[in-house]
Amino acid sequence: MIGFAAQAHDGGFVCDITGLDLSGPIAPDTARALRQLWLDHGVLVFRGLTATPETQLTLSRCFGVLEPHPIPRFRHGDYPELILLSNADGPAGPIYDVDGVPTAQRIPWHTDLAFTTTPNAGALLRMVQRPAEGGQTGWLDTAGAYDALDAATKAQIADLEAVYLFRTGLEDMRFNRPTGARLSPRADNYPSFPPVANPLVWTHPETARKMLNLSTLNIDHVIGMAADAGDALITRLIAHTLDPRFRYIHEWHDDDMVLWDNRRTMHMAFGHPADQIRVVHRTTISGSVAMGRVLPV
C-alpha cells in the first residue's frame, strides 16, 4: 500500500503529494514510490502535513544520503543535517533595493553547487515561518527546456562546456542579473572555489534525460567560442528556459515542504521585505556523480 495521493500539475514536472502519514517510520514501498515520483517529475510539493524537524529528516532520507552544510554556522543547532535559514536574529545575507523595498533572502536562478564538479542530488525545503509578503520560491524544469529546443540548437550545444564560478553577490552575475542595488555592506567570508568547466548539457545520472545546465548565478562563458557568440548563446538558452511553461512558483504556507531534483532544475528565492521574518529548514541530498572538471587557476 503506497499511503499517499499524487497529483501532477499541468506540464508534468511538479507533483502534489497529500495524505502522507509522517507520525511513524515511512514504509519501504512508500519510500520507493516517493523516490520514483521525484525522479519522474523533478519537484514534489508536500501539503497538509504536520511537519517537524524529525519528520523532515525522516522524509528526506527516502531520497538519499543527507549532507550537512559545509559551513557550520548554517547548521541547525540541534539537528546538524538541517540547514537553518532565518533572519530572525538579523540579516542572513545581503539586502537589496527591489522596487524601492529593502529585500532580504533574494537569490537568483541557480543550481546548487553548479560551481563545483559534483552538484547536490536534491533538497527538501520546509517553511517554518512565512513572511506576510513575498518569500516565494520558483523552480525551472531544465529537462523540459532541453526537450523543447530545436534539433539544430541541440546539435550546437551537445559537446560545449561553460565556465562556472562561485558567486554570492548579484552584482557579480554576467547573465540575467536581477535589478536592485545592494543596501548592506559587502562582507564575504566564504571559502574560495576554483573555476570549473561543466557541460552545457547534463545527462541525468539516474534517468538518462538530457538537461540544460545554465545556473545564472554562476555561469561565466562558453569555452572555445568567441566571447560575443558565446554570450549570445547563453543569453538565448536562458531566455528559452525562463519561458513560463517550464516554471513553477510556490506560494508558501507554514509547514509546506518542497523537494526538488537539483540536477534537473534551477531554483530562485524571490526575497521578502527585510523587516519581516522568514524561517526555513532545509535538508540537502548528497550528489555522487561528477559532471565536470576543475580548471587550473
Side-chain angles (χ1 to χ4, degrees):
M1 184 173 179
I2 299 303
F4 62 86
Q7 180 64 54
H9 292 208
D10 291 343
F13 94 102
V14 179
C15 186
D16 285 340
I17 305 296
T18 55
L20 182 65
D21 183 3
L22 293 180
S23 62
I26 297 174
D29 61 339
T30 299
R32 284 192 295 270
L34 288 169
R35 195 173 194 283
Q36 189 59 54
L37 284 169
W38 174 55
L39 293 174
D40 289 344
H41 293 279
V43 175
L44 301 185
V45 179
F46 296 88
R47 302 181 188 272
L49 304 180
T50 302
T52 65
E54 292 85 358
T55 58
Q56 182 176 357
L57 288 166
T58 296
L59 179 58
S60 300
R61 293 187 181 110
C62 294
F63 305 98
V65 176
L66 303 188
E67 183 177 287
H69 197 286
I71 302 174
R73 65 186 171 91
F74 289 115
R75 298 174 191 165
H76 192 291
D78 298 321
Y79 304 93
E81 291 174 311
L82 276 183
I83 299 169
L84 172 62
L85 302 172
S86 169
N87 63 330
D89 297 321
I95 307 295
Y96 291 93
D97 182 324
V98 179
D99 299 326
V101 178
T103 299
Q105 298 185 1
R106 182 171 172 83
I107 308 173
W109 295 109
H110 67 287
T111 298
D112 291 334
L113 295 186
F115 54 89
T116 73
T117 60
T118 308
N120 298 327
L124 179 67
L125 196 68
R126 175 168 77 96
M127 182 59 61
V128 178
Q129 182 175 340
R130 173 185 177 273
E133 301 172 66
Q136 300 92 340
T137 307
W139 284 269
L140 295 170
D141 181 13
T142 64
Y146 174 83
D147 290 346
L149 289 173
D150 60 87
T153 301
K154 288 179 179 177
Q156 179 188 12
I157 65 177
D159 299 315
L160 291 179
E161 293 179 309
V163 172
Y164 299 78
L165 304 176
F166 176 67
R167 293 187 176 121
T168 57
L170 308 190
E171 57 269 49
D172 299 331
M173 295 171 61
R174 294 202 60 228
F175 299 95
N176 201 52
R177 182 170 60 203
T179 58
R182 180 190 281 260
L183 300 177
S184 57
R186 186 151 189 165
D188 293 343
N189 57 349
Y190 298 99
S192 60
F193 294 88
V196 301
N198 270 316
L200 273 179
V201 178
W202 275 345
T203 299
H204 196 289
E206 296 186 74
T207 68
R209 286 194 69 176
K210 301 287 187 182
M211 310 163 293
L212 289 172
N213 176 26
L214 296 167
S215 184
T216 67
L217 177 61
N218 310 103
I219 194 166
D220 191 74
H221 65 274
V222 178
I223 295 174
M225 288 187 74
D228 288 351
D231 288 358
L233 176 61
I234 292 173
T235 299
R236 177 163 62 91
L237 291 173
I238 289 174
H240 168 78
T241 305
L242 289 174
D243 187 292
R245 60 189 157 145
F246 310 124
R247 185 190 310 166
Y248 170 69
I249 308 299
H250 188 70
E251 296 283 352
W252 290 97
H253 298 279
D254 287 351
D255 280 339
D256 279 358
M257 291 191 284
V258 179
L259 171 79
W260 68 95
D261 187 332
N262 182 60
R263 301 155 298 191
R264 173 176 171 169
T265 62
M266 285 193 282
H267 60 283
M268 174 177 177
F270 284 79
H272 60 88
D275 61 354
Q276 297 182 15
I277 303 302
R278 181 178 188 264
V279 181
V280 298
H281 289 169
R282 169 184 155 150
T283 54
T284 300
I285 302 159
S286 179
S288 59
V289 178
M291 303 285 199
R293 56 195 173 91
V294 175
L295 297 172
V297 179

